[in-house]
Structure formats: C-alpha cells, structure tokens
Amino acid sequence: MTLHNDPLAALGVSRETIQRLEALVALMGKWNPAINLVSKSTLADAWSRHILDSAQIYRLAPPGPLHWADLGSGGGFPGLVVAVLGAELQPGSRFTLVDSDQRKATFLRQSCQTLGLKAQVLAERIDAIAPLNADVLSARALAPLTLLCGFAQRHLSARGTALFMKGASHASELAEARGQWAFEVDIHPSVTEAGAVILQLKGLPHG
C-alpha cells in the first residue's frame, strides 16, 4: 500500500505510459515462474511493490537528457520502470541495464522490445564492463553500500548522482560506507515501504 503520494501522479505521466507499465507487470507475471524475477509473494501487489517503488526515484534525477545506468536490473526494477518514464518525460535520455544473469538479461531485452524502449542491456559483471560514465546510477537491493560506492567510482560521471534504494538497515550501511568513502548524501524516505529510503549520493571519487 502506498504510504504517501502516488509517484506517477506526481510526475504527471500520460495514460500511454501507465499502459506501458501495466504491460511490464503482465510481462513479469508471465516470465516469473520460469526465472524467478521477483519473490512470488509480491506478485499480487506488484504495482505498489515494484512499479511505484521504482518510479519514486525518477524525481530525484537531474533534469535534461542524461545517461541513466541501472545495476543489477534483474526483474527490471528500477531500470525498466525509469526507462518507461524517461521515454515520455526525457526522450533524449538513454538507459543502460546491467545484469550478469543471462536469463534475466533475455527478459530485459524482450521487455524493451515489447515496450518499445531504446535501452541497452549488458549481460556482464558490473566490475568487468567498461566504465559507463553515467549521469545517474541506480540499484535496488543489489549489494552493501560500500560495494555500491565502488561501482559508482567506476561507472558514475564526475558530477553524477547515485540513487541507491535501501531498507531499514540503511543507517548502519551508511556508517560503514563513510568509513571507506567520501560523499554527500541526501536521505529520502520511501513512499511505498515504511523504514526504507532512497540514498542520493553525490561527490563520490571518480575514476
């Protein structure tokens, strides 16, 4: 259940974009039994647990055309959702979805084709691909923050923004990461899950 405002209403997206997101839910339901994209228990509430949860980070991205890279895209969250939103709201933007699982990468590619998205899918390890120089780097339930900061150092542009979705343990992860990395952080409460946050990081070491 949404705790605050509907992110999609706040973004003012069109009915066409809503329909694309509904089609994504249908694709997820079709593929999930075979490759376990998300926990089966979340499928009944997929709109809130996955679509709205992912959509809320879009408002934190800088304005204008940009390169958005999503790490560990897996079932498409938040990567496919922000790519759908970007197709309407920032059509000059490009999106890169990274997941080393070949089956999940196939799902991501098929979804991009079905939804009409011009997103690149890389089925490789995050630490093995060439630096992406992304303006925005996102990840959802992927790895501890210390490891995510290392990914950001490699793949985020010098003035880029990292948007990492974290659960109730974010405070301890922040404390540990600050012992190893220098960065600025804004903490945004999740609108879909009590205790969860989006960590908006800037000023991370580059290169």
Side-chain angles (χ1 to χ4, degrees):
M1 182 174 67
T2 302
L3 299 178
H4 303 299
N5 294 327
D6 181 340
L8 295 175
L11 289 169
V13 297
S14 67
R15 180 59 192 164
E16 180 182 1
T17 292
I18 298 294
Q19 290 172 341
R20 269 180 163 175
L21 294 172
E22 290 172 342
L24 173 56
V25 172
L27 284 167
M28 180 177 64
K30 178 181 177 181
W31 284 68
N32 202 65
I35 60 175
N36 194 32
L37 299 167
V38 298
S39 171
K40 184 179 178 180
S41 64
T42 67
L43 285 176
D45 196 23
W47 188 258
S48 176
R49 292 289 297 274
H50 301 298
I51 301 299
L52 297 183
D53 188 52
S54 297
Q56 66 179 315
I57 74 169
Y58 193 89
R59 61 186 173 84
L60 302 176
L66 49 82
H67 178 201
W68 187 312
D70 185 55
L71 304 180
S73 299
F77 309 110
L80 285 177
V81 174
V82 296
V84 169
L85 296 175
E88 176 186 350
L89 300 175
Q90 293 175 298
S93 298
R94 60 191 180 97
F95 296 85
T96 301
L97 312 181
V98 183
D99 200 289
S100 61
D101 187 308
Q102 294 291 336
R103 296 183 305 164
K104 291 180 179 178
T106 298
F107 164 75
L108 293 170
R109 292 191 183 100
Q110 183 61 54
S111 296
C112 288
Q113 181 177 350
T114 301
L115 300 173
L117 302 175
K118 296 179 180 178
Q120 180 184 27
V121 177
L122 300 178
E124 301 177 58
R125 290 179 54 86
I126 296 166
D127 55 2
I129 59 178
L132 295 172
N133 196 36
D135 302 298
V136 179
L137 197 71
S138 60
R140 180 196 194 209
L142 175 63
L145 186 58
T146 51
L147 185 56
L148 292 175
C149 287
F151 293 156
Q153 181 185 38
R154 180 176 179 83
H155 293 297
L156 196 62
S157 68
R159 297 184 180 182
T161 299
L163 299 173
F164 297 140
M165 306 176 75
K166 287 292 177 181
S169 65
H170 63 272
S172 60
E173 288 196 46
L174 264 175
E176 183 178 358
R178 279 175 162 152
Q180 301 181 37
W181 300 93
F183 52 81
E184 303 168 15
V185 61
D186 290 319
I187 303 174
H188 304 273
S190 170
V191 303
T192 60
E193 182 180 352
V197 300
I198 300 97
L199 299 178
Q200 183 180 25
L201 275 61
K202 297 180 180 180
L204 283 154
H206 176 63

